[in-house]
mmCIF file of all heavy atoms in Angstrom:
data_model
loop_
_atom_site.group_PDB
_atom_site.id
_atom_site.type_symbol
_atom_site.label_atom_id
_atom_site.label_comp_id
_atom_site.label_asym_id
_atom_site.label_seq_id
_atom_site.Cartn_x
_atom_site.Cartn_y
_atom_site.Cartn_z
ATOM 1 N N ILE A 14 0.846 -1.191 0.000
ATOM 2 C CA ILE A 14 0.000 0.000 0.000
ATOM 3 C C ILE A 14 0.885 1.247 0.000
ATOM 4 O O ILE A 14 1.741 1.402 0.871
ATOM 5 C CB ILE A 14 -0.927 0.010 1.231
ATOM 6 C CG1 ILE A 14 -1.860 -1.197 1.187
ATOM 7 C CG2 ILE A 14 -1.733 1.309 1.271
ATOM 8 C CD1 ILE A 14 -2.781 -1.309 2.383
ATOM 9 N N PRO A 15 0.751 2.141 -0.981
ATOM 10 C CA PRO A 15 1.563 3.366 -1.026
ATOM 11 C C PRO A 15 1.328 4.243 0.204
ATOM 12 O O PRO A 15 0.331 4.092 0.920
ATOM 13 C CB PRO A 15 1.110 4.055 -2.318
ATOM 14 C CG PRO A 15 0.482 2.974 -3.128
ATOM 15 C CD PRO A 15 -0.128 2.025 -2.152
ATOM 16 N N GLU A 16 2.258 5.167 0.432
ATOM 17 C CA GLU A 16 2.156 6.057 1.588
ATOM 18 C C GLU A 16 0.901 6.914 1.544
ATOM 19 O O GLU A 16 0.311 7.221 2.587
ATOM 20 C CB GLU A 16 3.399 6.960 1.656
ATOM 21 C CG GLU A 16 4.698 6.201 1.886
ATOM 22 C CD GLU A 16 5.892 7.132 1.896
ATOM 23 O OE1 GLU A 16 5.680 8.361 1.768
ATOM 24 O OE2 GLU A 16 7.025 6.637 2.038
ATOM 25 N N ALA A 17 0.477 7.328 0.366
ATOM 26 C CA ALA A 17 -0.718 8.165 0.244
ATOM 27 C C ALA A 17 -2.009 7.383 0.393
ATOM 28 O O ALA A 17 -3.085 7.969 0.413
ATOM 29 C CB ALA A 17 -0.716 8.892 -1.100
ATOM 30 N N GLY A 18 -1.922 6.057 0.487
ATOM 31 C CA GLY A 18 -3.099 5.211 0.556
ATOM 32 C C GLY A 18 -3.279 4.413 -0.719
ATOM 33 O O GLY A 18 -2.646 4.702 -1.748
ATOM 34 N N PRO A 19 -4.127 3.413 -0.703
ATOM 35 C CA PRO A 19 -4.335 2.598 -1.909
ATOM 36 C C PRO A 19 -4.942 3.409 -3.036
ATOM 37 O O PRO A 19 -5.959 4.085 -2.834
ATOM 38 C CB PRO A 19 -5.302 1.508 -1.422
ATOM 39 C CG PRO A 19 -5.969 2.085 -0.225
ATOM 40 C CD PRO A 19 -4.975 2.983 0.424
ATOM 41 N N PRO A 20 -4.343 3.401 -4.211
ATOM 42 C CA PRO A 20 -4.925 4.152 -5.346
ATOM 43 C C PRO A 20 -6.287 3.583 -5.720
ATOM 44 O O PRO A 20 -6.461 2.377 -5.821
ATOM 45 C CB PRO A 20 -3.894 3.962 -6.464
ATOM 46 C CG PRO A 20 -3.150 2.718 -6.094
ATOM 47 C CD PRO A 20 -3.130 2.660 -4.599
ATOM 48 N N LYS A 21 -7.235 4.475 -5.936
ATOM 49 C CA LYS A 21 -8.592 4.034 -6.234
ATOM 50 C C LYS A 21 -8.756 3.606 -7.687
ATOM 51 O O LYS A 21 -9.523 2.695 -7.995
ATOM 52 C CB LYS A 21 -9.581 5.155 -5.901
ATOM 53 C CG LYS A 21 -9.612 5.532 -4.421
ATOM 54 C CD LYS A 21 -10.591 6.656 -4.169
ATOM 55 C CE LYS A 21 -10.597 7.078 -2.706
ATOM 56 N NZ LYS A 21 -11.526 8.207 -2.454
ATOM 57 N N GLU A 22 -8.037 4.282 -8.586
ATOM 58 C CA GLU A 22 -8.191 3.992 -10.011
ATOM 59 C C GLU A 22 -6.897 4.337 -10.726
ATOM 60 O O GLU A 22 -6.298 5.391 -10.455
ATOM 61 C CB GLU A 22 -9.345 4.809 -10.576
ATOM 62 C CG GLU A 22 -9.901 4.306 -11.889
ATOM 63 C CD GLU A 22 -11.213 4.992 -12.237
ATOM 64 O OE1 GLU A 22 -12.212 4.726 -11.534
ATOM 65 O OE2 GLU A 22 -11.219 5.787 -13.192
ATOM 66 N N VAL A 23 -6.455 3.471 -11.623
ATOM 67 C CA VAL A 23 -5.194 3.692 -12.328
ATOM 68 C C VAL A 23 -5.381 3.403 -13.816
ATOM 69 O O VAL A 23 -6.306 2.703 -14.224
ATOM 70 C CB VAL A 23 -4.062 2.800 -11.763
ATOM 71 C CG1 VAL A 23 -3.729 3.180 -10.332
ATOM 72 C CG2 VAL A 23 -4.436 1.326 -11.852
ATOM 73 N N ARG A 24 -4.464 3.964 -14.613
ATOM 74 C CA ARG A 24 -4.451 3.722 -16.056
ATOM 75 C C ARG A 24 -3.181 2.947 -16.378
ATOM 76 O O ARG A 24 -2.073 3.426 -16.105
ATOM 77 C CB ARG A 24 -4.502 5.041 -16.813
ATOM 78 C CG ARG A 24 -4.515 4.874 -18.338
ATOM 79 C CD ARG A 24 -4.682 6.222 -19.027
ATOM 80 N NE ARG A 24 -3.594 7.122 -18.680
ATOM 81 C CZ ARG A 24 -3.749 8.424 -18.460
ATOM 82 N NH1 ARG A 24 -4.935 8.972 -18.528
ATOM 83 N NH2 ARG A 24 -2.708 9.191 -18.154
ATOM 84 N N VAL A 25 -3.325 1.763 -16.978
ATOM 85 C CA VAL A 25 -2.194 0.875 -17.208
ATOM 86 C C VAL A 25 -2.097 0.547 -18.694
ATOM 87 O O VAL A 25 -3.090 0.133 -19.314
ATOM 88 C CB VAL A 25 -2.329 -0.426 -16.394
ATOM 89 C CG1 VAL A 25 -1.114 -1.321 -16.605
ATOM 90 C CG2 VAL A 25 -2.507 -0.112 -14.908
ATOM 91 N N ARG A 26 -0.892 0.738 -19.262
ATOM 92 C CA ARG A 26 -0.640 0.338 -20.650
ATOM 93 C C ARG A 26 -0.314 -1.145 -20.686
ATOM 94 O O ARG A 26 0.522 -1.626 -19.905
ATOM 95 C CB ARG A 26 0.514 1.142 -21.237
ATOM 96 C CG ARG A 26 0.278 2.632 -21.268
ATOM 97 C CD ARG A 26 1.356 3.354 -22.061
ATOM 98 N NE ARG A 26 2.696 3.050 -21.570
ATOM 99 C CZ ARG A 26 3.289 3.713 -20.578
ATOM 100 N NH1 ARG A 26 2.663 4.710 -19.964
ATOM 101 N NH2 ARG A 26 4.516 3.388 -20.195
ATOM 102 N N VAL A 27 -0.967 -1.855 -21.587
ATOM 103 C CA VAL A 27 -0.731 -3.284 -21.743
ATOM 104 C C VAL A 27 -0.504 -3.585 -23.221
ATOM 105 O O VAL A 27 -0.834 -2.791 -24.098
ATOM 106 C CB VAL A 27 -1.917 -4.113 -21.196
ATOM 107 C CG1 VAL A 27 -2.102 -3.867 -19.715
ATOM 108 C CG2 VAL A 27 -3.203 -3.779 -21.947
ATOM 109 N N GLY A 28 0.054 -4.727 -23.499
ATOM 110 C CA GLY A 28 0.314 -5.116 -24.876
ATOM 111 C C GLY A 28 -0.910 -5.699 -25.553
ATOM 112 O O GLY A 28 -1.967 -5.888 -24.944
ATOM 113 N N LYS A 29 -0.761 -5.976 -26.831
ATOM 114 C CA LYS A 29 -1.863 -6.564 -27.575
ATOM 115 C C LYS A 29 -2.160 -7.989 -27.112
ATOM 116 O O LYS A 29 -3.198 -8.556 -27.458
ATOM 117 C CB LYS A 29 -1.529 -6.569 -29.069
ATOM 118 C CG LYS A 29 -1.415 -5.159 -29.659
ATOM 119 C CD LYS A 29 -2.713 -4.391 -29.551
ATOM 120 C CE LYS A 29 -2.617 -3.013 -30.206
ATOM 121 N NZ LYS A 29 -3.868 -2.248 -30.073
ATOM 122 N N ALA A 30 -1.266 -8.575 -26.308
ATOM 123 C CA ALA A 30 -1.534 -9.901 -25.753
ATOM 124 C C ALA A 30 -2.717 -9.889 -24.788
ATOM 125 O O ALA A 30 -3.261 -10.933 -24.441
ATOM 126 C CB ALA A 30 -0.285 -10.433 -25.046
ATOM 127 N N TYR A 31 -3.104 -8.686 -24.351
ATOM 128 C CA TYR A 31 -4.239 -8.541 -23.452
ATOM 129 C C TYR A 31 -5.520 -8.290 -24.230
ATOM 130 O O TYR A 31 -6.461 -7.712 -23.706
ATOM 131 C CB TYR A 31 -3.996 -7.380 -22.488
ATOM 132 C CG TYR A 31 -2.924 -7.641 -21.458
ATOM 133 C CD1 TYR A 31 -1.583 -7.665 -21.803
ATOM 134 C CD2 TYR A 31 -3.259 -7.843 -20.123
ATOM 135 C CE1 TYR A 31 -0.599 -7.879 -20.860
ATOM 136 C CE2 TYR A 31 -2.286 -8.061 -19.166
ATOM 137 C CZ TYR A 31 -0.953 -8.084 -19.540
ATOM 138 O OH TYR A 31 0.021 -8.309 -18.606
ATOM 139 N N SER A 32 -5.581 -8.737 -25.469
ATOM 140 C CA SER A 32 -6.749 -8.484 -26.311
ATOM 141 C C SER A 32 -7.987 -9.216 -25.803
ATOM 142 O O SER A 32 -9.111 -8.879 -26.202
ATOM 143 C CB SER A 32 -6.464 -8.885 -27.758
ATOM 144 O OG SER A 32 -6.091 -10.254 -27.821
ATOM 145 N N ASP A 33 -7.807 -10.211 -24.939
ATOM 146 C CA ASP A 33 -8.947 -10.956 -24.411
ATOM 147 C C ASP A 33 -9.629 -10.218 -23.268
ATOM 148 O O ASP A 33 -10.710 -10.611 -22.822
ATOM 149 C CB ASP A 33 -8.500 -12.330 -23.917
ATOM 150 C CG ASP A 33 -7.469 -12.229 -22.800
ATOM 151 O OD1 ASP A 33 -6.531 -11.422 -22.955
ATOM 152 O OD2 ASP A 33 -7.606 -12.940 -21.795
ATOM 153 N N VAL A 34 -9.020 -9.124 -22.786
ATOM 154 C CA VAL A 34 -9.593 -8.365 -21.668
ATOM 155 C C VAL A 34 -10.665 -7.422 -22.195
ATOM 156 O O VAL A 34 -10.454 -6.714 -23.182
ATOM 157 C CB VAL A 34 -8.492 -7.566 -20.934
ATOM 158 C CG1 VAL A 34 -9.106 -6.732 -19.810
ATOM 159 C CG2 VAL A 34 -7.432 -8.500 -20.381
ATOM 160 N N SER A 35 -11.801 -7.401 -21.530
ATOM 161 C CA SER A 35 -12.886 -6.498 -21.914
ATOM 162 C C SER A 35 -13.431 -5.811 -20.676
ATOM 163 O O SER A 35 -13.089 -6.159 -19.538
ATOM 164 C CB SER A 35 -14.003 -7.267 -22.638
ATOM 165 O OG SER A 35 -14.502 -8.307 -21.810
ATOM 166 N N ILE A 36 -14.268 -4.806 -20.887
ATOM 167 C CA ILE A 36 -14.837 -4.047 -19.777
ATOM 168 C C ILE A 36 -15.665 -4.979 -18.891
ATOM 169 O O ILE A 36 -16.467 -5.768 -19.378
ATOM 170 C CB ILE A 36 -15.706 -2.896 -20.295
ATOM 171 C CG1 ILE A 36 -14.845 -1.872 -21.039
ATOM 172 C CG2 ILE A 36 -16.456 -2.215 -19.171
ATOM 173 C CD1 ILE A 36 -15.632 -0.748 -21.669
ATOM 174 N N GLY A 37 -15.443 -4.869 -17.591
ATOM 175 C CA GLY A 37 -16.158 -5.700 -16.630
ATOM 176 C C GLY A 37 -15.391 -6.906 -16.153
ATOM 177 O O GLY A 37 -15.826 -7.593 -15.227
ATOM 178 N N ASP A 38 -14.224 -7.180 -16.767
ATOM 179 C CA ASP A 38 -13.425 -8.343 -16.373
ATOM 180 C C ASP A 38 -12.619 -8.044 -15.110
ATOM 181 O O ASP A 38 -12.075 -6.945 -14.967
ATOM 182 C CB ASP A 38 -12.459 -8.742 -17.488
ATOM 183 C CG ASP A 38 -13.161 -9.353 -18.681
ATOM 184 O OD1 ASP A 38 -14.348 -9.701 -18.542
ATOM 185 O OD2 ASP A 38 -12.530 -9.483 -19.742
ATOM 186 N N PRO A 39 -12.511 -9.024 -14.196
ATOM 187 C CA PRO A 39 -11.554 -8.869 -13.099
ATOM 188 C C PRO A 39 -10.144 -9.113 -13.626
ATOM 189 O O PRO A 39 -9.943 -9.901 -14.558
ATOM 190 C CB PRO A 39 -11.986 -9.963 -12.116
ATOM 191 C CG PRO A 39 -12.625 -11.011 -12.977
ATOM 192 C CD PRO A 39 -13.275 -10.280 -14.121
ATOM 193 N N ILE A 40 -9.174 -8.427 -13.072
ATOM 194 C CA ILE A 40 -7.816 -8.553 -13.571
ATOM 195 C C ILE A 40 -6.822 -8.386 -12.426
ATOM 196 O O ILE A 40 -7.070 -7.637 -11.476
ATOM 197 C CB ILE A 40 -7.539 -7.513 -14.677
ATOM 198 C CG1 ILE A 40 -6.236 -7.824 -15.409
ATOM 199 C CG2 ILE A 40 -7.533 -6.097 -14.125
ATOM 200 C CD1 ILE A 40 -6.026 -7.015 -16.669
ATOM 201 N N GLY A 41 -5.723 -9.131 -12.501
ATOM 202 C CA GLY A 41 -4.624 -8.998 -11.560
ATOM 203 C C GLY A 41 -3.356 -8.676 -12.324
ATOM 204 O O GLY A 41 -3.035 -9.341 -13.314
ATOM 205 N N LEU A 42 -2.644 -7.651 -11.894
ATOM 206 C CA LEU A 42 -1.464 -7.186 -12.617
ATOM 207 C C LEU A 42 -0.343 -6.857 -11.647
ATOM 208 O O LEU A 42 -0.576 -6.362 -10.537
ATOM 209 C CB LEU A 42 -1.775 -5.920 -13.431
ATOM 210 C CG LEU A 42 -2.683 -6.034 -14.651
ATOM 211 C CD1 LEU A 42 -2.928 -4.649 -15.226
ATOM 212 C CD2 LEU A 42 -2.091 -6.953 -15.702
ATOM 213 N N ASN A 43 0.885 -7.137 -12.080
ATOM 214 C CA ASN A 43 2.073 -6.533 -11.501
ATOM 215 C C ASN A 43 2.478 -5.411 -12.457
ATOM 216 O O ASN A 43 2.701 -5.660 -13.647
ATOM 217 C CB ASN A 43 3.202 -7.555 -11.368
ATOM 218 C CG ASN A 43 2.872 -8.637 -10.356
ATOM 219 O OD1 ASN A 43 2.483 -8.341 -9.229
ATOM 220 N ND2 ASN A 43 3.003 -9.899 -10.753
ATOM 221 N N ALA A 44 2.536 -4.198 -11.951
ATOM 222 C CA ALA A 44 2.745 -3.048 -12.829
ATOM 223 C C ALA A 44 3.664 -2.035 -12.176
ATOM 224 O O ALA A 44 3.788 -1.984 -10.946
ATOM 225 C CB ALA A 44 1.415 -2.395 -13.184
ATOM 226 N N VAL A 45 4.306 -1.243 -13.019
ATOM 227 C CA VAL A 45 5.095 -0.097 -12.568
ATOM 228 C C VAL A 45 4.243 1.143 -12.797
ATOM 229 O O VAL A 45 3.874 1.448 -13.936
ATOM 230 C CB VAL A 45 6.428 0.002 -13.327
ATOM 231 C CG1 VAL A 45 7.174 1.268 -12.925
ATOM 232 C CG2 VAL A 45 7.286 -1.226 -13.055
ATOM 233 N N LEU A 46 3.923 1.830 -11.717
ATOM 234 C CA LEU A 46 3.046 2.996 -11.792
ATOM 235 C C LEU A 46 3.791 4.245 -11.356
ATOM 236 O O LEU A 46 4.624 4.204 -10.451
ATOM 237 C CB LEU A 46 1.818 2.802 -10.910
ATOM 238 C CG LEU A 46 0.888 1.633 -11.288
ATOM 239 C CD1 LEU A 46 -0.235 1.516 -10.284
ATOM 240 C CD2 LEU A 46 0.340 1.811 -12.698
ATOM 241 N N SER A 47 3.474 5.351 -11.993
ATOM 242 C CA SER A 47 4.119 6.637 -11.723
ATOM 243 C C SER A 47 3.055 7.705 -11.492
ATOM 244 O O SER A 47 1.903 7.539 -11.907
ATOM 245 C CB SER A 47 5.009 7.055 -12.901
ATOM 246 O OG SER A 47 5.942 6.055 -13.218
ATOM 247 N N PRO A 48 3.436 8.818 -10.849
ATOM 248 C CA PRO A 48 2.494 9.946 -10.759
ATOM 249 C C PRO A 48 2.153 10.458 -12.146
ATOM 250 O O PRO A 48 2.948 10.355 -13.085
ATOM 251 C CB PRO A 48 3.273 10.986 -9.943
ATOM 252 C CG PRO A 48 4.346 10.236 -9.250
ATOM 253 C CD PRO A 48 4.692 9.077 -10.137
#
């Protein structure tokens, strides 16, 4: 959990390999996030 608290919503760039993901799907990711 970041110092500012858990982020409520994030924008993540993914590759075309994630073409099976659609709106409403649950997803788990390891990601590098920046301000």
